[in-house]
Amino acid sequence: MEMSLAHPAIKAFVCGSVSGTCSTLLFQPLDLVKTRLQTLQSGVQPGSGRVGMMTVLRSVVRTERLLGLWKGVSPSFARTIPGVGLYFSSYYSLKQHFFLDSSPGAPGAALLGGGARAVAGVVMLPVTVIKARFECGRYSYSSVTGALRHVCRTEGPAALFSGLVATLLRDVPFSGIYVMFYSQTKASLPKEIGTSASAPLANFSCGILAGLLASLITQPADVVKTQVQVNPQLRTAEAIRCIYTEHGLQGFFRGAVPRALRRTMIAAMAWTVYEQMMACFGLES
């Protein structure tokens, strides 16, 4: 079937998958550094300022070579290619259903973003768990499918959904806040910018601002999610207590810098590529 004849939701899925592929390949090293920072062994002194993003970055390059920064890129691709596609197709379908004849306001945009992320987050959670384990350095999986089989055999299928609550608490608010800020910031721009050659740059700039705000607000939930997924014996409440006991409040912001950089850049690039591709298909994004 030719793409021009495909259902609009399928076109949105393809646009999202392409944008997710580009952004994941570029920013995977930031995700790996973020995961390593959040899963430092408890022997590290709480509040120590010696272990930061650059320290972890140098350690990975020294012990695992430069390509070690892309460790976990396979599960990242397995998650983002269908996951981002599913997110954007869900977003497009929800928007067409509830806001066909009008533009959503701030609350509507937040609900659209959060609803689309909830769908994609639940469906893709098993791959997200495997991705976190690949990146943390504690497991010696050789492939995504091998990791899935190993987890199911040794821990049971339920382990693939560990961190579900923390994931939804992180991703749904992030997406809702992001789409709300992004759509409102874009709406405040002069209309002539949206039809000019500088539209992609303007969209990307709006995405950067929205991503920074959303990343900082949802950072604590991301730390808890990572701990639960790499330590499946922990429940969400136990992980929160453990993080606070070992590192205090600042423990909930471990990995904030690489995560904010990565999430902001990925979201901004994904939305920019998605909107440009949708425009090429003649669809309203």
Side-chain angles (χ1 to χ4, degrees), residues 35-48 50-51 136 138 227 230-231 233-234 238-239 241-248 250-251 254:
T35 301
R36 295 287 176 93
L37 280 171
Q38 291 179 353
T39 55
L40 288 173
Q41 298 294 334
S42 58
V44 176
Q45 291 298 316
S48 172
R50 295 191 301 272
V51 181
C136 75
R138 298 183 188 177
Q227 287 294 334
V230 300
N231 300 290
Q233 74 278 6
L234 289 178
E238 294 170 340
R241 284 197 300 270
C242 180
I243 294 167
Y244 182 76
T245 300
E246 292 187 2
H247 305 291
Q250 66 185 19
R254 279 180 175 268

Side-chain angles (χ1 to χ4, degrees), residues 61-98:
V61 173
R62 186 174 61 252
T63 60
E64 303 174 44
R65 300 184 182 276
L66 185 62
L67 288 179
L69 292 171
W70 275 267
K71 185 175 184 179
V73 74
S74 294
S76 287
F77 276 143
R79 181 187 69 159
T80 56
I81 292 176
V84 178
L86 181 59
Y87 168 76
F88 278 116
S89 62
S90 299
Y91 173 84
Y92 179 85
S93 298
L94 289 170
K95 187 176 180 182
Q96 291 298 301
H97 182 76
F98 292 106

Side-chain angles (χ1 to χ4, degrees), residues 155-283:
E155 303 174 39
L160 294 174
F161 289 89
S162 59
L164 174 61
V165 174
T167 298
L168 292 178
L169 286 175
R170 177 199 67 168
D171 287 352
V172 172
F174 176 90
S175 185
I177 293 168
Y178 180 90
V179 174
M180 179 183 69
F181 281 124
Y182 180 69
S183 61
Q184 296 305 300
T185 305
K186 275 186 62 181
S188 68
L189 295 175
K191 290 189 177 180
E192 55 268 20
I193 291 181
T195 56
S196 68
S198 60
L201 179 59
N203 293 344
F204 190 80
S205 300
C206 292
I208 292 290
L209 177 60
L212 286 174
L213 292 170
S215 292
L216 292 175
I217 292 171
T218 58
Q219 175 64 22
D222 184 66
V223 176
V224 174
K225 184 272 307 181
T226 300
Q227 287 294 334
V228 171
Q229 290 181 344
V230 300
N231 300 290
Q233 74 278 6
L234 289 178
R235 295 185 180 275
T236 300
E238 294 170 340
I240 292 172
R241 284 197 300 270
C242 180
I243 294 167
Y244 182 76
T245 300
E246 292 187 2
H247 305 291
L249 286 176
Q250 66 185 19
F252 292 100
F253 290 90
R254 279 180 175 268
V257 174
R259 176 176 180 260
L261 288 173
R262 176 186 174 273
R263 286 300 295 264
T264 297
M265 298 300 288
I266 279 184
M269 176 175 284
W271 274 89
T272 301
V273 173
Y274 166 75
E275 292 190 328
Q276 292 303 114
M277 289 188 67
M278 290 290 279
C280 290
F281 285 133
L283 295 172

Side-chain angles (χ1 to χ4, degrees), residues 111-167:
L111 289 174
L112 282 176
R117 179 54 63 193
V119 173
V122 171
V123 173
M124 300 308 301
L125 186 60
V127 183
T128 303
V129 172
I130 298 302
K131 170 184 166 295
R133 295 192 179 193
F134 256 92
E135 292 173 352
C136 75
R138 298 183 188 177
Y139 300 86
S140 55
Y141 301 135
S142 59
S143 67
V144 176
T145 54
L148 286 168
R149 285 196 298 268
H150 182 269
V151 172
C152 288
R153 186 174 63 250
T154 60
E155 303 174 39
L160 294 174
F161 289 89
S162 59
L164 174 61
V165 174
T167 298

Side-chain angles (χ1 to χ4, degrees), residues 100-116:
L100 181 60
D101 300 318
S102 63
S103 297
L111 289 174
L112 282 176

